[in-house]
Amino acid sequence: MELARHWRQRNARYRLEGSRHRSDGTIAFPPREGNEWEPYVLSGQGELLTYAVVHQAPSGHEGEVPYMVAIVQLVEGPRITAQLTDCDASEVTIGMAVEMTTRLLGDTGADGLLLYGYKFRPVL
Amino acid sequence: MMRPVYIAGTGLTAVGELWERTALSLATEALRAAMTASPQQPIGALYVANALGAALGQQSNLAPAIAAAVGLQGCETLTIDAGGAAGGLAIRQAMLAVASGAYDAVAVVGVEKVSDVLDERREAALALTTDGDWEGLHGVTLTSQWAMLMRKYMHDYAVASADFAAFPVNAHANAVANRHALYRFAITPDKVKNAGMVADPLSLLDCATVADGAAAVIISAQPHTSTVRAVRIAGSGVASDAIALHERADMLDLAAVRLATTRALHQANLTINDVQALDMTDPHAICAVLTLEALGYTPRGTATTLGASGAISANGTVPLALTGGCKARGDVVGALGVYQIVELTAQLRGTAANQVANATVALATCSAGLASTAVTHVLVAE
């Protein structure tokens, strides 16, 4: 079921909520724990650092192949790993501008838990 | 002051899709061979490296079963599941236990049994060494992460995908002579180029096959007593890095490999230029390229030239994948670090299939995931 595992990440998954350091202003994602950090919602804007096209998927993603995974440099500073969506591999280049969009990430199976969260797409 | 530690006996099984064998049966075969090769060793502990037994839902805490099967029931046991670094970590723990005087001899066995499940489950089990919530959840595989590094490397250094082909070609060429290798046939650069994609830009023939196998070593305060050359563990180093690629400031620097190797060479009082035989975690050419750069063989962005020049071939200046490497010997994941010690001990004793002439210093480095943990050992023939 793993309901709590996904529920506790809801702010990060649904609205890209990370953390801002209270004294030096550093922005972090995933969110950090501790009194020196406060919640901070990132813009979802970034630039593609690198990507790959997955043809041999792990369990749970078999039905999605081929799909693209990427590392995105977010404008606030942190980097993030996520899937690329709404584009074809032939249109993708390192350095292109991308933005966050909320999509279905997976389905935990018979218990019916649908996992939503961030993917990235070319800036519209 | 710690005392010297030696490789007293070794054993291994063939690497392959061994349908009739269990993990226990493979581990027992390798360990019995190592024990037979080094009789009279007072083995006080058994350390087992096994990355995927628990992840595939087959067996956790495998070590007590292996101990009982080889007559070591009652001894201290430890099972290590640190991904592709497990074998190196087991060797290190055994070395520390013997060096400290806790035991006079420790048995190490690395074993992997992966052929019982289909590709998707194996990919998922391997991907457990990525950051679960922030990488794995998004469908990332280890292969796709290496592919992302390869694409970034090609972009940053203006290197073509064809420039990587010499590495799998060399691995296959070397495996022909290795009787325990998975793939004992040669391939051509054209075949690498034209193979289907596993994780674009990584083609099938630049991707190692994960396979079954076991290797064992008896680590002792006493060198082997027979006529074979004594092999000492002269240096050992371990280092870690951020588990998530996106948390690393410089993704193309395998910092854990660099640090572990620096530590091991420092302990051995040697430099990388003293190393004559080498083995590494090399499931893709990009891993070998980044590892060569982390080890200091070439400046950043230039290691593919060692493939083009033939330096990596068995008779070159930096021979790689002498047994076929992960690509053609087969990727035995948690067992790799133990296979490396068995294979490099053969190099130092002058009995290896692709023998480096007069080799006296060997270096093994293995790592978990995208080198979030790396382990390096330096062996010296005395």
Side-chain angles (χ1 to χ4, degrees):
Chain A
M1 188 66 181
E2 297 188 351
L3 189 65
R5 176 191 168 190
H6 302 292
W7 167 81
R8 68 174 164 263
Q9 310 290 10
R10 62 199 179 282
N11 292 342
R13 293 255 183 93
Y14 297 160
R15 55 196 179 108
L16 217 58
E17 184 179 290
S19 304
R20 181 167 61 187
H21 197 271
R22 291 182 196 275
S23 52
D24 69 15
T26 305
I27 310 292
F29 187 91
R32 302 294 194 256
E33 294 186 343
N35 288 336
E36 66 273 34
W37 296 97
E38 61 187 7
Y40 182 87
V41 177
L42 287 97
S43 67
Q45 301 295 314
E47 164 187 321
L48 192 64
L49 277 181
T50 186
Y51 66 101
V53 185
V54 179
H55 296 269
Q56 194 166 302
S59 311
H61 294 273
E62 306 94 324
E64 302 167 29
V65 292
Y67 59 90
M68 283 181 280
V69 294
I71 298 176
V72 173
Q73 174 69 61
L74 298 168
V75 293
E76 294 88 349
R79 295 167 171 182
I80 187 169
T81 296
Q83 287 191 21
L84 282 182
T85 188
D86 295 15
C87 56
D88 190 81
S90 61
E91 308 162 40
V92 176
T93 54
I94 287 179
M96 71 189 281
V98 292
E99 63 185 11
M100 177 216 175
T101 181
T102 299
R103 292 299 162 87
L104 183 69
L105 298 184
D107 180 344
T108 62
D111 53 44
L113 191 63
L114 298 173
L115 306 177
Y116 286 90
Y118 50 82
K119 292 188 180 183
F120 284 78
R121 65 182 175 196
V123 172
L124 292 178
Chain B
M1 184 63 194
M2 297 205 292
R3 58 180 174 167
V5 176
Y6 297 90
I7 307 298
T10 65
L12 51 69
T13 73
V15 177
E17 294 178 310
L18 308 172
W19 308 112
E20 296 191 354
R21 308 292 298 278
T22 62
L24 180 62
S25 139
L26 292 168
T28 303
E29 178 188 332
L31 186 49
R32 282 204 176 114
M35 291 167 75
T36 302
S38 52
Q40 316 300 326
Q41 293 286 345
I43 295 170
L46 169 66
Y47 297 160
V48 173
N50 176 235
L52 298 175
L56 293 174
Q58 293 168 343
Q59 179 72 59
S60 64
N61 199 29
L62 185 58
I66 298 169
V70 297
L72 292 173
Q73 189 162 339
C75 79
E76 172 182 329
T77 61
L78 169 67
T79 309
I80 298 173
D81 80 343
L89 289 172
I91 296 284
R92 175 166 169 86
Q93 291 308 311
M95 188 216 67
L96 291 174
V98 172
S100 71
Y103 297 111
D104 288 329
V106 171
V108 176
V109 60
V111 58
E112 219 58 76
K113 179 67 202 176
V114 297
S115 62
D116 285 348
V117 301
L118 297 177
D119 288 343
E120 294 79 11
R121 275 187 64 197
R122 195 156 49 235
E123 290 291 344
L126 290 165
L128 284 175
T129 54
T130 68
D131 188 332
D133 277 342
W134 309 104
E135 292 180 323
L137 181 90
H138 298 275
V140 158
T141 60
L142 295 184
T143 303
S144 67
Q145 291 196 304
W146 286 116
M148 286 198 283
L149 292 188
M150 180 176 170
R151 194 183 298 276
K152 183 161 172 51
Y153 189 98
M154 291 161 60
H155 175 265
D156 289 7
Y157 299 119
V159 171
S161 63
D163 296 334
F164 292 86
F167 290 81
V169 168
N170 172 65
H172 273 259
N174 288 342
V176 172
N178 176 13
R179 285 189 301 169
H180 68 266
L182 171 68
Y183 295 138
R184 299 186 63 191
F185 57 84
I187 60 171
T188 63
D190 270 353
K191 276 201 162 179
V192 178
K193 189 178 117 192
N194 296 324
M197 288 294 170
V198 173
D200 195 352
L202 278 174
S203 83
L204 183 66
L205 286 179
D206 193 7
C207 290
T209 301
V210 179
D212 306 335
V217 172
I218 309 300
I219 288 178
S220 172
Q222 297 297 323
H224 198 298
T225 50
S226 76
T227 54
V228 294
R229 219 169 165 187
V231 173
R232 184 167 60 88
I233 303 180
S236 172
V238 180
S240 59
D241 199 353
I243 189 169
L245 269 186
H246 56 245
E247 296 279 357
R248 299 181 188 174
D250 182 351
M251 288 188 281
L252 296 178
D253 174 25
L254 298 183
V257 177
R258 180 166 48 76
L259 288 170
T261 302
T262 301
R263 289 166 187 169
L265 285 169
H266 181 260
Q267 186 182 18
N269 199 23
L270 294 168
T271 73
I272 197 68
N273 296 322
D274 296 313
V275 174
Q276 296 149 293
L278 171 69
D279 200 78
M280 59 177 66
T281 293
D282 54 0
H284 317 287
I286 183 65
C287 316
V289 164
L290 294 178
T291 299
L292 287 168
E293 293 174 8
L295 266 46
Y297 279 108
T298 62
R300 300 277 301 272
T302 65
T304 55
T305 61
L306 296 180
S309 71
I312 64 169
S313 67
N315 53 8
T317 52
V318 190
L320 292 192
L322 285 162
T323 61
C326 290
K327 176 68 195 76
R329 174 233 290 113
D331 183 357
V332 282
V333 198
L336 174 64
V338 188
Y339 267 88
Q340 291 178 324
I341 299 300
V342 175
E343 292 162 351
L344 291 172
T345 296
Q347 280 288 346
L348 298 181
R349 288 179 172 162
T351 59
N354 293 304
Q355 182 64 47
V356 175
N358 306 312
T360 57
V361 177
L363 184 145
T365 184
C366 64
S367 57
L370 274 280
S372 52
T373 298
V375 191
T376 299
H377 284 101
V378 177
L379 304 181
V380 172
E382 297 194 325

